[in-house]
Amino acid sequence: MRGNYSRSPRAILILLVSSALVALVTWFAPGLSAASLNLLFRLRGPLPAPTDVTIVAIDDESLRRIGQWPWPRSVIADALDRLTEAGAGGVGLDIIYAEPTNAEEDQRLAASIARSGRVVLPAQLYETFSANSAPAINWLRPLPAIARAARALGHAHVAPGVDGMARSVQLSKADDRGDRLWAFGMEVVRVAEGIGDADLEERAGLLRFGGHRVPVLDEEVRDSIPGVLFVRPNETIINYAGPTRSFAHYSMADLLEGKIPSAALAGRIVLIGATAPSLGDTRVAPFMHFSAGGEQGGQEMPGVEIHANLIHTIRGRLSLRSLPEEGAFLLAIVVILCAMLTVRWLDGWRQVGLLALLLLAILAGSFLAFSRYHIIPPLVPMLTGFGVVVPLLLNRALAASRELDRKLAALVSSQQGFLTSAEGEDVSRQPSSALELPRSLAWKLRAVDDLTTRLVARMSFIDRILSSMGEGVLVSDLTGRILFANQEAMRIFGCRESDVIGAWFDQFLIERGRLEPTAARDAIGGALSGRVAQLEFEVALAEPQYYSLLLSALVAQPDTAIGVVALISDISRRVEMDRLKTETLQLVSHELRTPLTSIRGLSDVLLKFPVAEEQSREMIDTIHAESVRLGEMLNRYLDLTRLESGAQALQLAPVPCGRLIDDCIHNLSVPAAERRIRLHAEVPPTIPPLQADGLLLRQAVSNLLGNAIKYSPPDTDVTIAAELQSGAVAIHVRDQGFGVPPEARDKIFQKFYRLERDASSPVVGAGLGLPLVKEIAERHGGRVTLQNGPAGGSIFTLYLPLSV
């Protein structure tokens, strides 16, 4: 909360300064507002071509064909007569005939004006000076006879603004005696539409006559000279239809020669005025540098066209309205607040994007208000308010730069030895106050680059240590998410970095390490409480691997745990050694003790007591059989142990399947004959050779075939067959024995496992043959399966790939 309070005075100060800046720009730089209005006119472009006003121009072509100015007044009289014949709705003659000429000419002009009955003549204010009195302002009117013939008089003066541009017109003016005249264009509209004085009403900010509502304002414009103020009452802004020649435009010579069609004049307002540049009746208008075709131009607008634009503004209900100063100032304050909040609460691209949207809203909203709703927006105050973003951003950048200096100094202080002594002392010095300017950007970049280089070097060194470790390392945070895993840990669990980082620590160990959920969670909780926990787990791969998991707390400060570190060590060899010791002990205690007991007991009898020859022979046969069984058991156990430990490498060579099976049948033909077992071979000649270790493969097939002979009843058949199956050779051994019960099929390939009937039978065996077959098959990339035969007995199948 203290930080918010410390920022509030600064924010209020910025708001006050920005508001004052808006007021100063609005009041003392009116040229900016004028320029923005010109810009809006040009962005909007020309309006649709007006059809209610026609201009008959005293142009260069007319001067060439009729003669130099001034013309005889009979020329204008003829033009007025033609307009009367064409049925013009109203005529504005923008020429002040204040000097008498030939009486006949003056009378003819007055008669033509009277016949029309719809002519409006201009008047002009002028200033006279005398030595004994103050300057006087009087009306310059047409000759009395001409003025009496006209339907109305209107002032034709259009005063430029502070920038010299004709942007508005006063709807009424008066001389020193209070003689008031309405604007020339307004009087033309009244005459054309028959609006009398009774239908004219003045209100605050509005002039109503007939069906027209014209907004007016009493504008006070400050000049660039301090203390100078222009007051222009009863003024309205002209909504220009476009650049010069936006209205229907005909030459006076064409009118006199009858070349203008009557449809272009009938019922329309016709304005007669000078457009030739040599006559000098021009003003600078907003479209001065914008032609109708969109090209740049430098032509000023003739006064008669300015009157035409005023008439079109009134009749087309296109009057422009300005917001009151209070409204403009309020909009500027809103923009300032939006900019301040954006800079205060957002960062990065969101800040830039919202500021861009705010600027776009100012520009687009101003254009829409002007072009569609005829409202002059306070564009300059709003843009001035938006400009407050610059000092705000500068202030925030300075604060962020000072904060960065502090953080760099704190980082250097916490990492002693990262910099040289001189450089380190310079960086570690923090700014003494908020008024101190921050370090230069180049200095910051050098400091950050040096710190980054050393930090990256140290992190790279630590990463090399962790990557080179023979143990896996996992690190989690207090929420239980894994944050780090070295390469060895990912190899142990057989996963990628994306599978580890972000996973829940306990769930990962339960799924990947086959740990009991309760044990895993208790171990993690114990590590966080400061106890060291150790667990062992198995990773189920092609060859099961066993690992030790050592969990301890990751501490940032004494007694402050911030996570858990797990060290994973491979204990597969130790587990294998323990298993070998257990199996050896089982072999010695169970399988070896029985034959050794028999051999020792019978030999003691033979040595100590006289035994008949027949009994002696029987005892010797038993001793021999037990010694053979003992030797076979030891040989198989040693063979299996060498295969499991990897001590015996495969000697791969092409092995013909047919010859392999024939050799096995030949070697076991004698035991088969003794038990009256018939052996059959079914090997297609198309079976390709196997890439295998011939001796081990013969041992595996012989074991399967020997088991089938030993555990089959007399006078039965044993079949050994081979076939191709999906890129592998399947060798089937089928017998007609008792089969294997379903509950024993998962145990039949375990060491020292024998069925109860086999253990009680006289058949010699130690439960090592089938485990040996399984190990040989898996070393060749294959497998061995067991199925019951359709007519009884068992079917052992050895699947071997064609290439290892």
Side-chain angles (χ1 to χ4, degrees):
M1 294 299 294
R2 185 178 301 171
N4 293 336
Y5 286 126
S6 64
R7 291 189 182 95
S8 297
R10 185 183 302 171
I12 294 174
L13 178 62
I14 292 175
L15 180 61
L16 293 176
V17 171
S18 302
S19 303
L21 181 62
V22 169
L24 288 173
V25 170
T26 302
W27 294 337
F28 294 101
L32 294 177
S33 297
S36 69
L37 183 57
N38 295 342
L39 177 64
L40 289 172
F41 271 116
R42 294 167 186 171
L43 289 176
R44 184 204 68 187
L47 296 173
T51 59
D52 56 344
V53 180
T54 299
I55 295 176
V56 176
I58 303 173
D59 55 4
D60 291 331
E61 180 65 17
S62 300
L63 295 176
R64 185 183 65 80
R65 290 160 61 182
I66 298 174
Q68 295 297 320
W69 188 261
W71 295 334
R73 295 178 181 180
S74 58
V75 173
I76 302 299
D78 290 341
L80 291 175
D81 289 340
R82 289 186 176 273
L83 292 177
T84 301
E85 293 173 3
V91 178
L93 180 58
D94 189 19
I95 304 171
I96 301 178
Y97 290 104
E99 301 84 8
T101 57
N102 183 284
E104 183 179 354
E105 289 285 327
D106 293 344
Q107 184 60 36
R108 184 175 178 184
L109 177 59
S112 295
I113 293 174
R115 277 194 299 273
S116 172
R118 291 177 173 272
V119 176
V120 178
L121 295 178
Q124 183 75 42
L125 285 175
Y126 71 97
E127 195 172 15
T128 59
F129 298 90
S130 63
N132 299 325
S133 61
I137 299 176
N138 300 295
W139 283 112
L140 178 64
R141 299 172 181 267
L143 294 173
I146 296 175
R148 285 193 299 269
R151 180 69 176 271
L153 294 180
H155 80 82
H157 180 69
V158 179
V162 293
D163 58 348
M165 185 167 292
R167 191 174 291 102
S168 61
V169 63
Q170 288 179 254
L171 292 178
S172 65
K173 283 191 174 185
D175 61 8
D176 287 345
R177 292 183 295 274
D179 187 5
R180 185 183 187 191
L181 292 180
W182 294 103
F184 178 74
M186 175 181 164
E187 288 291 3
V188 172
V189 173
R190 291 179 62 194
V191 169
E193 298 182 5
I195 302 173
D197 292 340
D199 292 331
L200 194 149
E201 179 185 2
E202 293 184 82
R203 300 178 183 174
L206 180 68
L207 175 64
R208 183 190 65 79
F209 59 98
H212 303 294
R213 304 289 188 274
V214 181
V216 295
L217 58 128
D218 295 331
E219 185 179 17
E220 296 181 0
V221 181
R222 290 169 175 78
D223 191 44
S224 57
I225 303 175
V228 178
L229 180 68
F230 292 93
V231 180
R232 301 172 63 175
N234 205 20
E235 189 166 35
T236 190
I237 301 173
I238 301 173
N239 193 349
Y240 283 90
T244 304
R245 300 183 71 89
S246 294
F247 293 83
H249 198 280
Y250 298 98
S251 174
M252 175 66 79
D254 290 337
L255 176 64
L256 295 174
E257 295 173 4
K259 296 181 179 180
I260 301 177
S262 298
L265 303 173
R268 295 192 181 187
I269 292 177
V270 179
L271 297 180
I272 300 174
T275 63
S278 59
L279 298 181
D281 186 19
T282 58
R283 291 288 187 272
V284 178
F287 284 99
M288 177 178 173
H289 297 288
F290 185 93
S291 64
E295 300 176 355
Q296 295 291 325
Q299 183 179 0
E300 295 181 357
M301 182 170 287
V304 67
E305 290 201 38
I306 295 177
H307 295 314
N309 276 283
L310 175 61
I311 293 171
H312 181 63
T313 299
I314 294 174
R315 300 190 76 191
R317 291 177 172 81
L318 301 174
S319 299
L320 295 173
R321 294 165 292 165
S322 297
L323 292 179
E325 290 186 354
E326 298 80 4
F329 189 74
L330 181 61
L331 278 178
I333 295 298
V334 170
V335 171
I336 292 172
L337 290 176
C338 290
M340 290 178 63
L341 291 176
T342 300
V343 174
R344 172 65 182 85
W345 294 110
L346 298 180
D347 289 302
W349 285 110
R350 293 186 299 171
Q351 182 188 86
V352 174
L354 195 55
L355 288 176
L357 287 176
L358 179 60
L359 180 60
L360 181 63
I362 294 172
L363 298 178
S366 298
F367 178 77
L368 183 65
F370 178 79
S371 60
R372 178 168 295 183
Y373 301 105
H374 311 303
I375 297 174
I376 301 176
L379 187 58
V380 171
M382 287 193 294
L383 289 178
T384 304
F386 183 79
V388 75
V389 175
V390 176
L392 279 175
L393 289 175
L394 180 61
N395 175 70
R396 188 167 185 180
L398 290 174
S401 185
R402 282 192 293 267
E403 185 65 20
L404 181 58
D405 287 348
R406 296 189 186 95
K407 291 185 181 300
L408 284 173
L411 181 60
V412 172
S413 299
S414 64
Q415 300 291 332
Q416 295 297 328
F418 270 61
L419 301 171
T420 60
S421 58
E423 204 171 12
E425 292 173 0
D426 190 31
V427 175
S428 61
R429 187 183 66 83
Q430 297 190 12
S432 58
S433 68
L435 297 178
E436 182 180 348
L437 290 177
R439 303 297 186 93
S440 67
L441 179 61
W443 181 91
K444 289 182 176 66
L445 290 175
R446 287 195 303 269
V448 170
D449 184 61
D450 197 356
L451 284 168
T452 303
T453 301
R454 296 176 183 272
L455 282 171
V456 168
R458 177 169 291 188
M459 291 176 65
S460 177
F461 178 69
I462 295 173
D463 183 68
R464 284 196 298 270
I465 293 175
L466 293 174
S467 300
S468 303
M469 289 178 62
E471 290 80 13
V473 178
L474 292 176
V475 180
S476 76
D477 59 15
L478 288 175
T479 65
R481 294 280 189 179
I482 297 178
L483 303 177
F484 172 79
N486 68 347
Q487 294 295 329
E488 182 63 18
M490 289 184 281
R491 186 198 66 78
I492 289 172
F493 292 105
C495 56
R496 297 172 298 180
E497 185 177 6
S498 59
D499 300 327
V500 183
I501 304 302
W504 294 105
F505 196 19
D506 55 351
Q507 194 65 29
F508 182 82
L509 294 177
I510 293 168
E511 293 176 356
R512 299 276 181 166
R514 294 186 177 180
L515 286 172
E516 290 293 330
T518 303
R521 295 187 178 102
D522 289 346
I524 294 174
L528 288 174
S529 63
R531 300 191 306 271
V532 177
Q534 186 169 5
L535 298 173
E536 293 184 2
F537 64 93
E538 174 188 354
V539 176
L541 300 174
E543 294 185 2
Q545 299 292 318
Y546 300 92
Y547 296 93
S548 170
L549 185 67
L550 185 65
L551 297 171
S552 58
L554 177 64
V555 294
Q557 297 176 354
D559 301 328
T560 304
I562 62 174
V564 176
V565 177
L567 185 64
I568 308 168
S569 303
D570 190 348
I571 59 171
S572 299
R573 190 169 187 83
R574 192 198 75 190
V575 172
E576 181 64 19
M577 294 299 295
D578 292 343
R579 185 184 62 82
L580 289 176
K581 288 192 294 184
T582 302
E583 290 178 353
T584 303
L585 181 61
Q586 181 180 357
L587 178 66
V588 172
S589 61
H590 295 87
E591 303 300 333
L592 296 183
R593 179 179 296 177
T594 300
L596 285 175
T597 302
S598 299
I599 293 172
R600 179 177 179 181
L602 292 174
S603 61
D604 283 345
V605 171
L606 290 174
L607 289 174
K608 296 179 180 179
F609 304 100
V611 180
E613 183 176 353
E614 292 181 3
Q615 292 180 343
S616 174
R617 179 67 178 178
E618 184 179 350
M619 291 182 182
I620 292 172
D621 289 340
T622 302
I623 291 172
H624 179 267
E626 293 295 334
S627 63
V628 169
R629 177 185 175 189
L630 183 60
E632 182 180 352
M633 187 185 306
L634 289 174
N635 289 333
R636 288 190 176 182
Y637 179 74
L638 293 175
D639 291 341
L640 181 57
T641 302
R642 282 194 297 269
L643 284 174
E644 289 179 339
S645 62
Q648 182 173 348
L650 297 181
Q651 303 296 324
L652 300 178
V655 178
C657 191
R659 182 181 301 174
L660 170 70
I661 292 175
D662 289 342
D663 290 346
C664 293
I665 290 176
H666 178 72
N667 293 337
L668 294 171
S669 59
V670 173
E674 291 177 350
R675 296 185 56 80
R676 302 196 304 276
I677 301 297
R678 295 179 294 274
L679 302 178
H680 303 281
E682 298 176 358
V683 182
T686 57
I687 299 293
L690 293 165
Q691 192 72 16
D693 188 317
L695 292 177
L696 291 177
L697 198 55
R698 285 184 179 85
Q699 190 174 4
V701 175
S702 296
N703 265 304
L704 294 178
L705 189 59
N707 285 345
I709 294 172
K710 287 192 291 184
Y711 297 107
S712 294
D715 298 317
T716 57
D717 296 328
V718 173
T719 303
I720 181 169
E723 62 176 344
L724 279 176
Q725 289 186 3
S726 302
V729 175
I731 300 175
H732 308 285
V733 178
R734 296 190 292 268
D735 60 45
Q736 297 176 347
F738 302 106
V740 178
E743 65 273 9
R745 290 181 186 175
D746 294 335
K747 303 177 181 178
I748 197 71
F749 293 101
Q750 295 179 4
K751 293 179 184 178
F752 306 115
Y753 180 79
R754 296 184 67 192
L755 297 174
E756 293 184 2
R757 65 167 185 264
D758 298 335
S760 60
S761 69
V763 179
V764 176
L768 294 173
L770 291 178
L772 180 61
V773 173
K774 178 176 178 290
E775 187 66 28
I776 292 173
E778 291 177 352
R779 285 295 303 276
H780 284 81
R783 57 193 174 90
V784 61
T785 63
L786 167 63
Q787 291 177 323
N788 285 336
S794 301
I795 302 175
F796 286 87
T797 302
L798 188 63
Y799 293 95
L800 298 168
L802 291 174
S803 59
V804 179

